[in-house]
Amino acid sequence: MRIGRTVQHTSAVDTTQITALFSPCRTWRYRLTLPFSGRRGDMVAIFLKNPSSASEMAADKTVRTASEYVWRHFPQAGGLHILNLYALRGTDSKEVGGTLRQQGEVYVIGPENDAAIRETLSASPTVIIAWGGHAGIPPVPYDRRVEHCLGILDESKSAIWRNVRKGSEKYPFHACYWAYDDRLTPVQMP
C-alpha cells in the first residue's frame, strides 16, 4: 500500500501525548488519539473511511482538518479519537478497494478494528461520522460495512453528528473536504 505525505499536527494538539493503536506490523491502524493542549474534557470521536499516513509523529490532511475543526467547534473537548470503517492503511481508497477484492473484507477491516471501535465509543459521548461515499471501494461490501458500523454506533448511545453541508447519514461528508465554518447536524439512528 502506498502511504502518502504527512503534515504537522495542528498546534492545538499536544504532540507529546498522541497515542496510536496499530497492529504490530503497522499494516492496520485502529485508533489515533490526539489530546488537545490545555484541555481536559471528554474526547470526541471522528469516524472516517480508512487511515492513511497519520501516526504518533505526523498528521495527514484529513486528520489535521478534523482536529482543527473539533478544536474550534467543541471548546469543551479534551481532544479527539480517529476511527475508521477499514483499518488497513492506504492513502488511496482505490488501493484499499483493490486489496479488498484480492484479500477479502476481513483483511481490510482489520482483525481488531471492531473491538477498538467499541472500546473507543464507550468512552466518547460525542461521535462525528465522516467516512464519505464508497469511492474506490466496491459498493456492496462498503454498504455492508457502513450498516455494520451504524449498528455499532447505535449500540454505543453516543450523540452522533455529521456535516450538514453535504452527504447523508449513510454517506456523511468526508472530513478531508470540510471547511472550518461548516455546521454539524444530529444523526437520527433508525
Side-chain angles (χ1 to χ4, degrees):
M1 284 296 215
R2 182 180 61 83
I3 301 297
R5 72 180 188 90
T6 59
V7 296
Q8 288 184 338
H9 283 289
T10 184
S11 60
V13 171
D14 181 350
T15 57
T16 66
Q17 300 299 313
I18 295 171
T19 60
L21 178 59
F22 282 97
S23 62
C25 60
R26 293 181 76 88
T27 299
W28 298 278
R29 191 191 77 209
Y30 301 114
R31 178 179 54 237
L32 182 63
T33 299
L34 306 163
F36 292 141
S37 298
R39 289 196 188 167
R40 300 281 178 242
D42 288 330
M43 302 294 276
V44 171
I46 296 189
F47 213 140
L48 301 168
K49 185 183 292 185
N50 65 281
S52 179
S53 56
S55 69
E56 310 91 317
M57 306 307 293
D60 57 30
K61 182 184 183 312
T62 303
V63 166
R64 186 173 172 104
T65 299
S67 57
E68 184 69 28
Y69 186 90
V70 171
W71 171 260
R72 291 176 184 213
H73 292 275
F74 290 83
Q76 78 286 3
L80 68 156
H81 297 296
I82 306 287
L83 302 171
N84 292 278
L85 298 174
Y86 301 101
L88 181 68
R89 294 177 74 208
T91 298
D92 188 338
S93 60
K94 290 178 188 170
E95 292 177 340
V96 175
T99 303
L100 184 148
R101 286 183 194 91
Q102 293 173 352
Q103 299 192 41
E105 291 176 70
V106 172
Y107 184 82
V108 295
I109 290 169
E112 303 298 325
N113 200 21
D114 283 357
I117 291 168
R118 283 187 171 94
E119 176 188 352
T120 304
L121 293 178
S122 72
S124 302
T126 303
V127 181
I128 304 168
I129 57 173
W131 50 68
H134 62 78
I137 298 175
V140 171
Y142 189 76
D143 285 350
R144 191 168 32 243
R145 182 65 181 156
V146 166
E147 291 300 324
H148 179 76
C149 289
L150 286 170
I152 293 173
L153 282 161
D154 191 37
E155 293 167 10
S156 77
K157 306 304 180 208
S158 300
I160 304 166
W161 298 83
R162 71 173 180 87
N163 192 305
V164 74
R165 181 161 52 108
K166 197 172 177 185
S168 66
E169 292 179 2
K170 187 172 183 179
Y171 304 120
F173 193 34
H174 197 287
C176 183
Y177 308 108
W178 289 359
Y180 294 138
D181 62 350
D182 281 353
R183 292 178 299 117
L184 300 178
T185 188
V187 172
Q188 301 302 316
M189 297 304 289

